[in-house]
Amino acid sequence: MMSFDRETLWLLSGVLGVLIFSSLIAFVLTKKNKSEAKLATLKNLNDRIKAWWVMCGIFALTVAGGEYGSVALFAVLSFVALREFKMLIEPIAIDRWSWVIALVVILPLHYAMVAAHWYGMFSIFIPVYVFLLIPTLATFTGETGNFLARTAKLQWALLAGVYCLSHVPGLLMLEIPAYSGNEKLVLYLVIVTQISDVLQYTFGKLFGRHKIAPNVSPNKTWAGFLGGVLSASAIGAGLWWATPFTPLQSFGMSLVITLMGFAGGLTMSAVKRDAGVKDYGQIIKGHGGILDRVDSLCFAAPIFFHIVRFYFT
């Protein structure tokens, strides 16, 4: 268990304060409003706040657990994410051994590389070696029906649920000159991503008229997208003091995070629509599975990680 510096404590205290304030506001609004339409919206808001409490608790444990604790916790999240993908896809019996190998061999090996700071292998293990291994294993089954679709589904599950998510604890391996406490970078990434999601939802409810992709995600509007991305990027710029970035650089990094987070949320929604389901799972009561909560991070985390590694280490 690691001790926190002042900036980390400020970040954690700010998140706790926002959650408490949001919970109080939602409670008061629920008590005052009686109309069915408003109560339905407020129920959705309350479900989201409960999900934020759960996820913020998970990420607080990630930071508190130190480097190895963070890696272990995200390995568990990836295990759950892979299970959710498996339940969504329902692979045929002959392919189940490939999924077992993914869960009990590939996943722990990948996270072991993250824990060992073996960047050279961690960065290519899944997108090169594993991506070539999966279709090779599938050929030995002798089943050629839907071959490309079957192998691509497992590849996508490993890419999004394991490889992309592992870049969050991967931030702790980076050595940035004149900067210490990489757990602040983890918090920064998560805070900006989650605030963007919240503000996109809020702006969309208040001002949203024109939908971006109604068949994919009917709640996403242009007003929500622009308002959420720009305001979350401004908040991210204000958090520059917890990062190795200048205020302007922090705005640019936050803009990248919010744009990639939006792309991740939209893409992961398309996967659900293709499977004909509303949520990836029910692990978070009232608000879906792990993948429903980390869909934005799936795209934002690896891009943020590699920009920081390339330009700031």
Side-chain angles (χ1 to χ4, degrees):
M1 194 72 67
M2 68 185 301
S3 58
F4 297 142
D5 59 22
R6 184 175 60 182
E7 288 85 2
T8 304
L9 289 173
W10 274 111
L11 286 173
L12 290 172
S13 299
V15 171
L16 181 62
V18 169
L19 284 173
I20 293 173
F21 180 75
S22 300
S23 298
L24 288 173
I25 292 295
F27 176 78
V28 171
L29 290 175
T30 302
K31 288 294 183 181
K32 286 187 174 183
N33 287 284
K34 300 300 180 183
S35 71
E36 291 295 327
K38 289 183 178 179
L39 283 175
T41 300
L42 288 169
K43 182 183 182 303
N44 183 274
L45 177 62
N46 278 300
D47 287 342
R48 285 175 177 268
I49 291 172
K50 290 174 185 177
W52 297 332
W53 273 105
V54 173
M55 293 310 299
C56 286
I58 290 173
F59 288 118
L61 286 174
T62 299
V63 173
E67 188 172 319
Y68 294 120
S70 299
V71 171
L73 185 56
F74 266 85
V76 172
L77 291 180
S78 285
F79 184 87
V80 176
L82 269 188
R83 289 274 300 169
E84 289 178 352
F85 265 122
K86 184 174 181 291
M87 297 297 290
L88 188 75
I89 293 167
E90 295 182 349
I92 61 175
I94 204 168
D95 287 332
R96 285 175 186 162
W97 275 110
S98 295
W99 283 85
V100 170
I101 291 171
L103 285 162
V104 303
V105 179
I106 294 171
L107 187 154
L109 267 178
H110 177 76
Y111 274 97
M113 295 169 192
V114 177
H117 292 202
W118 193 3
Y119 173 78
M121 183 56 76
F122 146 70
S123 62
I124 65 171
F125 176 59
I126 286 177
V128 178
Y129 294 104
V130 173
F131 271 34
L132 295 176
L133 174 66
I134 288 169
T136 302
L137 289 176
T139 61
F140 285 103
T141 67
E143 176 59 60
T144 58
N146 293 317
F147 182 86
L148 185 59
R150 286 162 41 217
T151 56
K153 286 175 181 177
L154 180 51
Q155 287 172 328
W156 172 255
L158 283 166
L159 179 70
V162 180
Y163 181 74
C164 289
L165 275 185
S166 69
H167 285 79
V168 180
L171 288 166
L172 300 172
M173 76 165 63
L174 299 177
E175 296 181 7
I176 303 171
Y179 181 76
S180 61
N182 283 23
E183 70 277 359
K184 294 192 291 289
L185 280 180
V186 174
L187 285 172
Y188 174 82
L189 169 64
V190 173
I191 288 170
V192 172
T193 304
Q194 293 302 307
I195 283 180
S196 178
D197 286 350
V198 173
L199 292 174
Q200 285 179 44
Y201 174 80
T202 303
F203 276 97
K205 284 294 182 183
L206 292 174
F207 309 110
R209 296 291 183 274
H210 304 289
K211 299 183 184 300
I212 294 176
N215 292 333
V216 177
S217 186
N219 291 324
K220 293 189 184 299
T221 64
W222 284 106
F225 166 67
L226 294 172
V229 164
L230 292 176
S231 55
S233 298
I235 292 171
L239 296 175
W240 66 273
W241 47 269
T243 73
F245 319 134
T246 65
L248 183 59
Q249 289 171 338
S250 187
F251 177 83
M253 294 295 269
S254 297
L255 186 60
V256 170
I257 290 171
T258 54
L259 289 174
M260 294 310 302
F262 174 81
L266 201 61
T267 303
M268 298 296 276
S269 290
V271 174
K272 288 188 291 185
R273 300 296 175 265
D274 179 48
V277 299
K278 181 179 181 294
D279 297 315
Y280 280 102
Q282 295 299 326
I283 196 169
I284 302 174
K285 186 178 179 180
H287 216 70
I290 288 296
L291 282 168
D292 293 292
R293 293 295 88 218
V294 300
D295 52 3
S296 299
L297 279 174
C298 287
F299 277 38
I303 301 300
F304 179 69
F305 173 94
H306 287 288
I307 291 175
V308 173
R309 185 180 181 277
F310 187 81
Y311 288 105
F312 294 93
T313 63

